[in-house]
Amino acid sequence: IDSGDLDGAEKLARLALASAEEATEEPWAAEVAFSALEVLGRRERMRDMAAARAAFERAYQIATDEDFAIGRIRALHELGTVDMLTDGDTGRLVEARALARESGAVSTTTVIDVQLANTWSLGTDLDRALTAARSCEQGARQIEARRTEAIAMNIQALVAAIRGDRRATSHFAEQAEKVVPGDPEVLFSTWGLTRVTASLFLDDVPRALRESEAGI
């Protein structure tokens, strides 16, 4: 599934799940079933959120029953992602983040932080978004996840943009661009999203148009 062969991933995952369900007493069955459901949930998330949620809920139940601590965090993270994508609810993501942080899973904590920061930056709780973005930046720097670090900085720039603070917007956007120089995804976000947002909130439409053209 990571290489993009979604049909192949689904076929293998369903075969693995069927084998695990036929051998429930075997010591390997629960772990195989969990892994298969995790892949199936990720596959379904691209086409059917209800099916994705069902797969991740089964995986979460297996992880809970079998005391798979890390698996439980992963399944809860996936469920929280489905919630976030369907209705903007971040409750389970917050819970997954707390468990990940408690267990020392820095990479998972960092990924959840960037999801939360991005979601909250689109709402009214900008202080909460800023806190999550700063936490993400620190975690990403610790594990040397440069693009994630840049995204976290750009979310801080976006919060500044929404608040009409062009100076802070430019500062954080430029810092994001320095972390991964020339990265198209980062440049698109810093120009086509963040700087444009600052100009719109400052009612500078001509400048917003130029920045949007740069993003394009």
Side-chain angles (χ1 to χ4, degrees):
I1 197 166
D2 287 334
S3 67
D5 182 4
L6 305 181
D7 292 337
E10 181 178 2
K11 180 180 179 181
L12 290 170
R14 292 196 183 283
L15 287 170
L17 182 59
S19 296
E21 289 173 339
E22 290 175 2
T24 53
E25 299 304 317
E26 296 293 335
W28 51 265
E31 186 174 351
V32 169
F34 174 86
S35 297
L37 287 163
E38 194 173 36
V39 171
L40 290 171
R42 290 173 61 191
R43 173 67 183 103
E44 292 293 358
R45 191 169 60 203
M46 302 174 194
R47 61 186 180 188
D48 185 340
M49 285 295 190
R53 180 179 278 114
F56 291 135
E57 283 176 345
R58 282 187 66 191
Y60 179 79
Q61 190 59 56
I62 290 171
T64 300
D65 292 344
E66 300 294 328
D67 199 23
F68 296 159
I70 298 301
R72 183 167 174 262
I73 294 170
R74 279 164 40 190
L76 189 60
H77 178 197
E78 296 288 6
L79 283 167
T81 300
V82 170
D83 291 345
M84 177 191 70
L85 292 172
T86 53
D87 55 23
D89 183 13
T90 57
R92 286 202 277 201
L93 273 181
V94 170
E95 184 182 352
R97 182 195 181 281
L99 291 172
R101 188 170 187 176
E102 184 179 318
S103 69
V106 178
S107 60
T108 301
T109 304
T110 301
V111 170
I112 297 173
D113 271 332
V114 78
Q115 289 177 287
L116 290 172
N118 186 59
T119 301
W120 290 333
S121 72
L122 302 176
T124 58
D125 197 344
L126 297 181
D127 287 338
R128 201 178 190 191
L130 200 56
T131 298
R134 287 170 176 163
S135 176
C136 176
E137 180 189 342
Q138 293 170 359
R141 190 175 294 122
Q142 181 179 344
I143 61 176
E144 299 185 352
R146 298 306 183 200
R147 179 175 283 185
T148 302
E149 182 182 349
I151 292 170
M153 287 180 172
N154 193 50
I155 293 172
Q156 293 174 69
L158 180 61
V159 170
I162 295 168
R163 289 173 166 165
D165 186 343
R166 192 187 297 281
R167 183 176 179 181
T169 298
S170 297
H171 168 74
F172 285 113
E174 288 167 5
Q175 290 301 310
E177 291 164 354
K178 288 178 182 177
V179 172
V180 278
D183 185 280
E185 184 178 345
V186 173
L187 288 170
F188 163 74
S189 296
T190 56
W191 284 98
L193 173 63
T194 302
R195 287 183 174 94
V196 170
T197 299
S199 294
L200 290 174
F201 271 87
L202 292 168
D203 200 26
D204 189 345
V205 176
R207 182 166 177 165
L209 180 59
R210 293 195 300 273
E211 290 161 344
S212 181
E213 288 170 346
I216 292 169

